Amino acid sequence: MATMHKVFYQLPGKALRVCVTGAAGQIAYSLLYSVAKGDVFGKDQPIILTLLDIAPMMEVLKGVVMELQDCALPILQEVIATADEREAFTDIDVAMLVGAMPRREGMERKDLLKANAKIFQSQGKSLDQYAKKTVKVVVVGNPANTNALIAMKCAPSIPKENFSCLTRLDQNRAKSQIAGKCSVPTSAVKNVTIWGNHSSTQFPDAMHAVVVKDGKDLKATEAVNDDAWLKGDFITTVQKRGAAVIAARKLSSAMSAAKAICDHVRDWVQGTPDGEWVSMGVISDGNSYGVPEGLIYSFPVKLSGGKWTIVDGLSIDAFAREKMDLTAKELAEERDAAFEFIGN
Ligand SMILES: NC(=O)C1=CN([C@@H]2O[C@H](COP(=O)(O)OP(=O)(O)OC[C@H]3O[C@@H](n4cnc5c(N)ncnc54)[C@H](O)[C@@H]3O)[C@@H](O)[C@H]2O)C=CC1
Ligand SMILES: O=C(O)CCC(=O)C(=O)O
Protein backbone atom coordinates (compact mmCIF):
# COMPACT_ATOMS: atom_id res chain seq x y z
CA MET A 1 0.00 0.00 0.00
CA ALA A 2 1.31 3.45 -0.82
CA THR A 3 0.85 6.26 1.67
CA MET A 4 -2.73 6.53 2.80
CA HIS A 5 -4.01 10.03 3.36
CA LYS A 6 -7.40 10.59 4.96
CA VAL A 7 -8.83 14.01 5.62
CA PHE A 8 -11.63 13.54 8.13
CA TYR A 9 -12.71 17.08 8.98
CA GLN A 10 -11.45 20.61 8.31
CA LEU A 11 -11.21 22.35 11.66
CA PRO A 12 -10.62 25.95 12.62
CA GLY A 13 -7.31 26.61 14.45
CA LYS A 14 -3.83 25.35 13.70
CA ALA A 15 -3.51 21.59 13.96
CA LEU A 16 -0.57 19.96 15.77
CA ARG A 17 1.25 17.34 13.70
CA VAL A 18 1.88 14.31 15.87
CA CYS A 19 3.80 11.29 14.61
CA VAL A 20 3.41 7.84 16.14
CA THR A 21 5.79 5.12 14.95
CA GLY A 22 5.04 1.43 15.35
CA ALA A 23 1.52 2.56 14.57
CA ALA A 24 0.28 -0.91 13.67
CA GLY A 25 1.57 -2.37 16.95
CA GLN A 26 -0.08 -3.07 20.26
CA ILE A 27 0.95 0.06 22.22
CA ALA A 28 -0.18 2.29 19.36
CA TYR A 29 -3.58 0.62 19.34
CA SER A 30 -4.31 2.15 22.77
CA LEU A 31 -2.20 5.27 22.32
CA LEU A 32 -3.77 6.56 19.12
CA TYR A 33 -7.25 6.65 20.59
CA SER A 34 -6.14 8.65 23.64
CA VAL A 35 -4.12 11.14 21.59
CA ALA A 36 -6.86 11.59 19.03
CA LYS A 37 -9.54 12.19 21.63
CA GLY A 38 -7.61 15.00 23.32
CA ASP A 39 -6.09 13.39 26.42
CA VAL A 40 -2.65 14.82 25.66
CA PHE A 41 -2.95 18.17 23.91
CA GLY A 42 -6.42 19.17 25.09
CA LYS A 43 -9.96 18.59 23.95
CA ASP A 44 -9.97 21.61 21.63
CA GLN A 45 -6.60 21.20 19.94
CA PRO A 46 -6.95 19.91 16.34
CA ILE A 47 -4.57 17.04 15.56
CA ILE A 48 -3.04 15.65 12.38
CA LEU A 49 -1.67 12.16 12.99
CA THR A 50 1.15 10.77 10.91
CA LEU A 51 1.48 7.03 11.39
CA LEU A 52 4.71 5.22 10.54
CA ASP A 53 5.19 1.49 10.34
CA ILE A 54 7.14 -0.86 8.09
CA ALA A 55 5.87 -1.78 4.60
CA PRO A 56 4.59 -5.29 5.48
CA MET A 57 2.32 -3.74 8.14
CA MET A 58 0.56 -1.30 5.82
CA GLU A 59 -2.52 -3.48 5.42
CA VAL A 60 -2.91 -3.72 9.21
CA LEU A 61 -2.36 0.02 9.47
CA LYS A 62 -5.15 0.56 6.97
CA GLY A 63 -7.51 -1.09 9.46
CA VAL A 64 -6.25 1.16 12.27
CA VAL A 65 -6.94 4.22 10.12
CA MET A 66 -10.48 2.94 9.40
CA GLU A 67 -11.06 2.52 13.12
CA LEU A 68 -9.77 6.01 13.89
CA GLN A 69 -12.21 7.32 11.31
CA ASP A 70 -15.03 5.25 12.81
CA CYS A 71 -14.37 6.75 16.27
CA ALA A 72 -15.67 10.06 14.85
CA LEU A 73 -13.34 12.04 17.08
CA PRO A 74 -14.03 15.76 16.81
CA ILE A 75 -10.40 17.01 16.99
CA LEU A 76 -8.85 14.50 14.59
CA GLN A 77 -8.46 16.41 11.37
CA GLU A 78 -6.33 14.17 9.21
CA VAL A 79 -4.39 10.88 9.24
CA ILE A 80 -1.40 10.02 7.08
CA ALA A 81 -0.34 6.38 7.24
CA THR A 82 2.99 5.57 5.65
CA ALA A 83 6.13 3.43 5.58
CA ASP A 84 8.19 6.46 4.51
CA GLU A 85 10.07 8.35 7.27
CA ARG A 86 10.12 11.56 5.23
CA GLU A 87 6.33 11.65 4.99
CA ALA A 88 5.91 10.66 8.62
CA PHE A 89 8.34 13.25 10.03
CA THR A 90 7.83 16.28 7.80
CA ASP A 91 7.00 19.36 9.90
CA ILE A 92 5.95 17.37 12.95
CA ASP A 93 5.60 19.00 16.38
CA VAL A 94 5.74 15.79 18.42
CA ALA A 95 7.27 12.36 17.75
CA MET A 96 6.23 9.34 19.78
CA LEU A 97 8.81 6.76 18.72
CA VAL A 98 7.21 3.48 19.72
CA GLY A 99 8.09 1.28 16.73
CA ALA A 100 10.74 -1.31 17.61
CA MET A 101 11.01 -4.99 18.37
CA PRO A 102 9.70 -5.89 21.88
CA ARG A 103 11.52 -8.42 24.09
CA ARG A 104 10.12 -11.86 24.75
CA GLU A 105 10.26 -13.91 27.93
CA GLY A 106 13.79 -14.47 29.24
CA MET A 107 15.37 -11.51 27.42
CA GLU A 108 16.72 -8.30 29.01
CA ARG A 109 15.78 -5.04 27.26
CA LYS A 110 19.39 -4.45 26.27
CA ASP A 111 19.24 -7.68 24.23
CA LEU A 112 17.18 -5.63 21.76
CA LEU A 113 19.97 -3.15 21.16
CA LYS A 114 21.35 -4.74 18.02
CA ALA A 115 17.93 -5.10 16.39
CA ASN A 116 16.64 -1.67 17.34
CA ALA A 117 19.69 0.66 17.24
CA LYS A 118 19.54 0.98 13.47
CA ILE A 119 15.87 2.00 13.58
CA PHE A 120 16.70 4.94 15.85
CA GLN A 121 19.76 5.86 13.81
CA SER A 122 17.64 6.11 10.69
CA GLN A 123 14.77 7.91 12.45
CA GLY A 124 17.18 10.37 14.14
CA LYS A 125 18.57 11.31 10.73
CA SER A 126 15.07 11.73 9.30
CA LEU A 127 13.96 13.87 12.25
CA ASP A 128 17.02 16.02 11.67
CA GLN A 129 16.10 16.49 8.02
CA TYR A 130 12.32 16.77 8.08
CA ALA A 131 10.86 17.58 11.51
CA LYS A 132 10.41 21.06 12.98
CA LYS A 133 13.45 22.09 15.04
CA THR A 134 11.09 22.48 17.98
CA VAL A 135 9.88 18.87 17.76
CA LYS A 136 9.48 17.10 21.10
CA VAL A 137 10.57 13.47 20.91
CA VAL A 138 9.71 10.66 23.31
CA VAL A 139 11.37 7.31 22.67
CA VAL A 140 9.47 4.27 23.89
CA GLY A 141 11.00 1.40 21.88
CA ASN A 142 13.50 -0.52 24.00
CA PRO A 143 16.15 -0.10 25.19
CA ALA A 144 14.46 3.28 25.40
CA ASN A 145 17.24 5.41 27.00
CA THR A 146 19.92 4.29 24.59
CA ASN A 147 17.64 4.48 21.56
CA ALA A 148 16.81 8.07 22.55
CA LEU A 149 20.54 8.83 22.76
CA ILE A 150 21.08 7.36 19.29
CA ALA A 151 18.22 9.41 17.80
CA MET A 152 19.52 12.56 19.54
CA LYS A 153 23.08 12.07 18.25
CA CYS A 154 21.78 11.48 14.72
CA ALA A 155 19.79 14.73 14.81
CA PRO A 156 22.39 17.40 15.61
CA SER A 157 20.23 20.28 14.32
CA ILE A 158 17.54 19.62 16.96
CA PRO A 159 18.30 20.74 20.55
CA LYS A 160 19.33 17.85 22.82
CA GLU A 161 16.69 18.92 25.33
CA ASN A 162 13.98 17.96 22.83
CA PHE A 163 14.83 14.25 23.18
CA SER A 164 13.50 12.13 26.02
CA CYS A 165 12.69 8.53 26.84
CA LEU A 166 9.76 7.05 28.67
CA THR A 167 10.23 6.12 32.34
CA ARG A 168 6.75 7.33 33.29
CA LEU A 169 5.44 3.78 33.19
CA ASP A 170 7.96 2.90 35.91
CA GLN A 171 6.88 5.98 37.88
CA ASN A 172 3.22 5.02 37.55
CA ARG A 173 4.02 1.48 38.68
CA ALA A 174 5.92 2.82 41.70
CA LYS A 175 3.13 5.21 42.57
CA SER A 176 0.56 2.43 42.42
CA GLN A 177 2.64 0.14 44.64
CA ILE A 178 2.92 2.85 47.30
CA ALA A 179 -0.76 3.78 47.05
CA GLY A 180 -1.70 0.11 47.54
CA LYS A 181 0.61 -0.23 50.53
CA CYS A 182 -0.89 2.89 52.18
CA SER A 183 -4.51 2.21 51.12
CA VAL A 184 -4.85 5.59 49.41
CA PRO A 185 -5.82 6.43 45.82
CA THR A 186 -2.89 6.85 43.42
CA SER A 187 -3.69 10.58 43.22
CA ALA A 188 -2.56 10.84 46.86
CA VAL A 189 1.02 9.79 46.02
CA LYS A 190 3.41 12.46 44.69
CA ASN A 191 7.06 12.87 43.78
CA VAL A 192 8.19 9.26 43.42
CA THR A 193 11.39 9.30 41.36
CA ILE A 194 12.78 6.86 38.84
CA TRP A 195 16.54 7.24 38.42
CA GLY A 196 18.52 5.89 35.50
CA ASN A 197 17.76 3.26 32.92
CA HIS A 198 14.36 1.85 31.94
CA SER A 199 15.73 -1.58 32.79
CA SER A 200 16.03 -3.90 35.74
CA THR A 201 18.83 -1.66 37.15
CA GLN A 202 16.54 1.39 37.43
CA PHE A 203 16.23 2.89 40.92
CA PRO A 204 12.64 3.60 41.98
CA ASP A 205 13.09 6.01 44.89
CA ALA A 206 10.36 6.89 47.39
CA MET A 207 12.62 8.72 49.86
CA HIS A 208 11.39 12.15 48.75
CA ALA A 209 7.85 11.09 47.89
CA VAL A 210 4.77 12.40 49.67
CA VAL A 211 1.55 10.59 50.56
CA VAL A 212 -1.59 12.60 51.29
CA LYS A 213 -3.43 10.77 54.05
CA ASP A 214 -6.42 12.05 56.02
CA GLY A 215 -5.88 15.46 54.41
CA LYS A 216 -2.23 15.70 55.55
CA ASP A 217 1.00 15.54 53.52
CA LEU A 218 3.14 12.78 55.01
CA LYS A 219 6.58 11.63 53.93
CA ALA A 220 6.12 8.36 52.05
CA THR A 221 8.61 6.76 54.43
CA GLU A 222 6.30 7.61 57.35
CA ALA A 223 3.09 6.70 55.54
CA VAL A 224 4.49 3.35 54.42
CA ASN A 225 6.28 2.77 57.73
CA ASP A 226 8.17 -0.24 56.36
CA ASP A 227 11.76 0.57 55.40
CA ALA A 228 12.59 -3.00 54.53
CA TRP A 229 9.79 -3.00 51.94
CA LEU A 230 10.81 0.39 50.51
CA LYS A 231 14.41 -0.80 50.11
CA GLY A 232 13.46 -4.30 48.99
CA ASP A 233 10.24 -5.60 47.44
CA PHE A 234 9.05 -2.15 46.34
CA ILE A 235 12.18 -1.65 44.24
CA THR A 236 12.35 -5.13 42.78
CA THR A 237 8.62 -5.22 41.97
CA VAL A 238 8.94 -2.04 39.90
CA GLN A 239 12.22 -3.13 38.31
CA LYS A 240 10.74 -6.48 37.24
CA ARG A 241 7.19 -5.39 36.43
CA GLY A 242 7.71 -5.37 32.66
CA ALA A 243 9.02 -8.93 32.78
CA ALA A 244 6.11 -10.01 35.03
CA VAL A 245 3.59 -8.66 32.51
CA ILE A 246 5.37 -10.46 29.67
CA ALA A 247 5.36 -13.71 31.66
CA ALA A 248 1.61 -13.40 32.26
CA ARG A 249 0.42 -11.94 28.96
CA LYS A 250 3.08 -13.42 26.68
CA LEU A 251 3.14 -9.90 25.30
CA SER A 252 4.66 -6.78 26.77
CA SER A 253 2.75 -4.01 28.58
CA ALA A 254 0.70 -2.03 26.11
CA MET A 255 -2.33 -0.37 27.74
CA SER A 256 -0.23 0.91 30.66
CA ALA A 257 2.59 1.96 28.32
CA ALA A 258 0.15 3.97 26.18
CA LYS A 259 -1.26 5.67 29.30
CA ALA A 260 2.27 6.53 30.46
CA ILE A 261 3.20 8.01 27.06
CA CYS A 262 0.12 10.25 27.30
CA ASP A 263 1.08 11.33 30.85
CA HIS A 264 4.67 12.05 29.74
CA VAL A 265 3.79 14.19 26.72
CA ARG A 266 0.82 15.91 28.39
CA ASP A 267 3.00 17.08 31.28
CA TRP A 268 5.80 18.14 28.90
CA VAL A 269 3.37 20.28 26.92
CA GLN A 270 1.02 21.42 29.68
CA GLY A 271 3.40 21.49 32.70
CA THR A 272 3.57 19.85 36.13
CA PRO A 273 1.52 21.17 39.07
CA ASP A 274 3.31 23.43 41.59
CA GLY A 275 5.42 21.45 44.04
CA GLU A 276 5.28 18.23 41.99
CA TRP A 277 7.74 16.49 39.76
CA VAL A 278 7.70 13.56 37.38
CA SER A 279 10.41 11.32 35.94
CA MET A 280 11.71 11.47 32.38
CA GLY A 281 14.80 10.12 30.66
CA VAL A 282 16.70 13.25 29.57
CA ILE A 283 20.26 14.20 28.67
CA SER A 284 22.46 14.10 31.77
CA ASP A 285 24.68 17.06 30.75
CA GLY A 286 25.16 19.56 33.59
CA ASN A 287 23.18 17.58 36.22
CA SER A 288 24.00 18.16 39.89
CA TYR A 289 23.76 14.50 40.95
CA GLY A 290 27.15 13.34 39.68
CA VAL A 291 25.61 11.26 36.87
CA PRO A 292 28.15 11.10 34.01
CA GLU A 293 27.38 13.44 31.11
CA GLY A 294 26.26 12.22 27.70
CA LEU A 295 23.67 9.68 28.87
CA ILE A 296 19.89 9.72 28.60
CA TYR A 297 19.20 9.10 32.29
CA SER A 298 15.88 9.28 34.12
CA PHE A 299 15.75 12.21 36.58
CA PRO A 300 13.07 13.98 38.60
CA VAL A 301 11.99 16.91 36.43
CA LYS A 302 9.60 19.83 36.66
CA LEU A 303 7.96 20.95 33.45
CA SER A 304 6.86 24.42 32.49
CA GLY A 305 6.42 26.28 29.20
CA GLY A 306 7.31 23.13 27.25
CA LYS A 307 10.72 22.81 28.95
CA TRP A 308 12.03 20.44 31.60
CA THR A 309 14.35 21.27 34.50
CA ILE A 310 15.98 18.65 36.69
CA VAL A 311 14.89 19.00 40.33
CA ASP A 312 18.10 19.81 42.19
CA GLY A 313 19.04 19.42 45.82
CA LEU A 314 17.39 16.10 46.73
CA SER A 315 19.50 14.38 49.37
CA ILE A 316 21.20 11.20 48.17
CA ASP A 317 22.29 8.69 50.81
CA ALA A 318 24.80 5.87 50.34
CA PHE A 319 22.03 3.38 49.44
CA ALA A 320 20.70 5.65 46.69
CA ARG A 321 24.18 6.58 45.46
CA GLU A 322 25.10 2.96 44.88
CA LYS A 323 21.91 2.29 42.93
CA MET A 324 22.21 5.50 40.87
CA ASP A 325 25.79 4.64 39.93
CA LEU A 326 24.95 1.07 39.00
CA THR A 327 22.25 2.08 36.53
CA ALA A 328 24.53 4.82 35.08
CA LYS A 329 27.22 2.19 34.54
CA GLU A 330 24.78 0.01 32.64
CA LEU A 331 23.76 2.99 30.47
CA ALA A 332 27.38 3.77 29.65
CA GLU A 333 27.91 0.14 28.60
CA GLU A 334 24.74 0.18 26.47
CA ARG A 335 25.85 3.43 24.84
CA ASP A 336 29.26 1.97 23.95
CA ALA A 337 27.70 -1.21 22.53
CA ALA A 338 25.09 0.74 20.56
CA PHE A 339 27.58 3.06 18.94
CA GLU A 340 29.66 0.06 17.97
CA PHE A 341 26.62 -1.53 16.25
CA ILE A 342 25.76 1.58 14.30
CA GLY A 343 29.41 2.26 13.49
CA ASN A 344 29.82 5.66 15.11
N1 LIG B 1 9.71 2.47 27.61
C1 LIG B 1 8.68 1.78 28.06
O1 LIG B 1 8.19 2.01 29.17
C2 LIG B 1 8.09 0.68 27.25
C3 LIG B 1 8.65 0.29 26.06
N2 LIG B 1 8.08 -0.70 25.31
C4 LIG B 1 8.71 -1.00 24.02
O2 LIG B 1 7.94 -0.42 22.97
C5 LIG B 1 8.20 -1.10 21.75
C6 LIG B 1 6.90 -1.39 21.02
O3 LIG B 1 6.11 -2.28 21.77
P1 LIG B 1 4.75 -2.90 21.16
O4 LIG B 1 3.90 -1.86 20.56
O5 LIG B 1 4.21 -3.77 22.22
O6 LIG B 1 5.36 -3.81 20.01
P2 LIG B 1 4.61 -4.41 18.73
O7 LIG B 1 5.52 -5.49 18.20
O8 LIG B 1 3.20 -4.74 19.00
O9 LIG B 1 4.63 -3.18 17.73
C7 LIG B 1 5.81 -2.63 17.25
C8 LIG B 1 5.49 -2.06 15.90
O10 LIG B 1 6.66 -1.38 15.45
C9 LIG B 1 6.77 -1.60 14.08
N3 LIG B 1 8.11 -1.29 13.59
C10 LIG B 1 9.20 -2.09 13.55
N4 LIG B 1 10.22 -1.44 12.96
C11 LIG B 1 9.77 -0.21 12.65
C12 LIG B 1 10.34 0.91 12.02
N5 LIG B 1 11.61 0.91 11.57
N6 LIG B 1 9.58 2.02 11.84
C13 LIG B 1 8.30 2.05 12.24
N7 LIG B 1 7.69 1.01 12.83
C14 LIG B 1 8.42 -0.11 13.04
C15 LIG B 1 6.37 -3.06 13.92
O11 LIG B 1 6.05 -3.38 12.56
C16 LIG B 1 5.17 -3.12 14.84
O12 LIG B 1 3.97 -2.79 14.17
C17 LIG B 1 9.00 -2.32 22.14
O13 LIG B 1 10.38 -2.08 21.90
C18 LIG B 1 8.74 -2.46 23.63
O14 LIG B 1 9.77 -3.17 24.28
C19 LIG B 1 6.94 -1.31 25.70
C20 LIG B 1 6.33 -0.95 26.88
C21 LIG B 1 6.88 0.04 27.75
O1 LIG C 1 9.70 -4.99 29.49
C1 LIG C 1 9.81 -4.94 28.28
O2 LIG C 1 10.80 -5.33 27.67
C2 LIG C 1 8.70 -4.44 27.42
C3 LIG C 1 7.82 -3.53 28.05
C4 LIG C 1 8.48 -2.58 28.97
O3 LIG C 1 9.47 -1.94 28.67
C5 LIG C 1 7.83 -2.45 30.25
O4 LIG C 1 6.77 -3.06 30.47
O5 LIG C 1 8.35 -1.73 31.10
Side-chain angles (χ1 to χ4, degrees), residues 113-122 125 146-147 149-154 334-344:
L113 206 47
K114 201 164 188 175
N116 290 340
K118 288 211 184 301
I119 296 179
F120 291 88
Q121 179 184 34
S122 168
K125 287 180 182 169
T146 301
N147 289 336
L149 186 69
I150 294 170
M152 187 196 84
K153 292 262 189 198
C154 293
E334 275 185 27
R335 174 197 56 201
D336 296 347
F339 285 104
E340 210 168 290
F341 291 146
I342 63 172
N344 237 324

Side-chain angles (χ1 to χ4, degrees), residues 35-303:
V35 172
K37 82 182 196 340
D39 290 352
V40 179
F41 304 103
K43 307 279 176 214
D44 298 319
Q45 171 61 58
I47 299 283
I48 296 173
L49 281 176
T50 70
L51 308 183
L52 181 72
D53 211 294
I54 51 175
M57 296 305 284
M58 287 300 108
E59 199 52 33
V60 175
L61 198 51
K62 196 170 154 185
V64 174
V65 175
M66 284 188 241
E67 284 211 67
L68 279 168
Q69 181 169 23
D70 297 346
C71 287
L73 297 161
I75 60 165
L76 184 59
Q77 182 161 310
E78 192 177 330
V79 178
I80 296 159
T82 181
D84 176 16
E85 289 179 2
R86 181 181 58 78
E87 272 178 298
F89 292 151
T90 294
D91 285 338
I92 54 171
D93 299 286
V94 176
M96 300 176 176
L97 303 185
V98 180
M101 186 199 278
R103 73 173 158 154
R104 302 286 176 216
E105 230 175 322
M107 291 168 85
E108 282 296 322
R109 293 180 189 122
K110 62 187 166 198
D111 297 335
L112 297 169
L113 206 47
K114 201 164 188 175
N116 290 340
K118 288 211 184 301
I119 296 179
F120 291 88
Q121 179 184 34
S122 168
Q123 293 184 357
K125 287 180 182 169
S126 293
L127 285 167
D128 197 50
Q129 261 187 290
Y130 306 119
K132 286 186 181 157
K133 299 304 169 201
T134 51
V135 66
K136 288 182 166 46
V137 182
V138 54
V139 173
V140 179
N142 277 314
N145 302 54
T146 301
N147 289 336
L149 186 69
I150 294 170
M152 187 196 84
K153 292 262 189 198
C154 293
S157 70
I158 297 172
K160 287 180 182 176
E161 295 70 30
N162 296 18
F163 287 84
S164 69
C165 84
L166 186 76
T167 54
R168 186 62 171 265
L169 176 53
D170 308 295
Q171 179 192 311
N172 287 347
R173 288 168 172 162
K175 191 174 176 160
S176 244
Q177 290 297 317
I178 291 172
K181 185 82 174 168
C182 299
S183 303
V184 296
T186 51
S187 56
V189 180
K190 295 185 278 191
N191 299 348
V192 182
T193 303
I194 304 296
W195 300 94
N197 200 0
H198 173 66
S199 78
S200 52
T201 67
Q202 68 176 267
F203 173 38
D205 176 9
M207 292 305 143
H208 305 281
V210 169
V211 175
V212 185
K213 212 167 177 188
D214 305 324
K216 282 193 217 126
D217 275 14
L218 297 179
K219 286 182 169 179
T221 45
E222 281 171 38
V224 169
N225 195 25
D226 186 346
D227 255 25
W229 181 80
L230 277 177
K231 289 188 167 168
D233 280 358
F234 162 67
I235 294 176
T236 51
T237 300
V238 178
Q239 288 174 331
K240 294 181 185 163
R241 191 63 157 193
V245 171
I246 293 173
R249 240 169 64 83
K250 312 297 172 213
L251 284 171
S252 58
S253 313
M255 175 173 49
S256 55
K259 158 69 166 55
I261 298 167
C262 292
D263 290 345
H264 176 115
V265 179
R266 182 202 60 228
D267 287 351
W268 199 354
V269 172
Q270 301 190 20
T272 40
D274 277 351
E276 288 189 35
W277 67 75
V278 293
S279 296
M280 271 170 80
V282 294
I283 188 69
S284 59
D285 296 0
N287 77 89
S288 63
Y289 290 105
V291 173
E293 304 219 328
L295 299 174
I296 297 278
Y297 189 98
S298 180
F299 288 101
V301 295
K302 288 190 175 175
L303 297 146

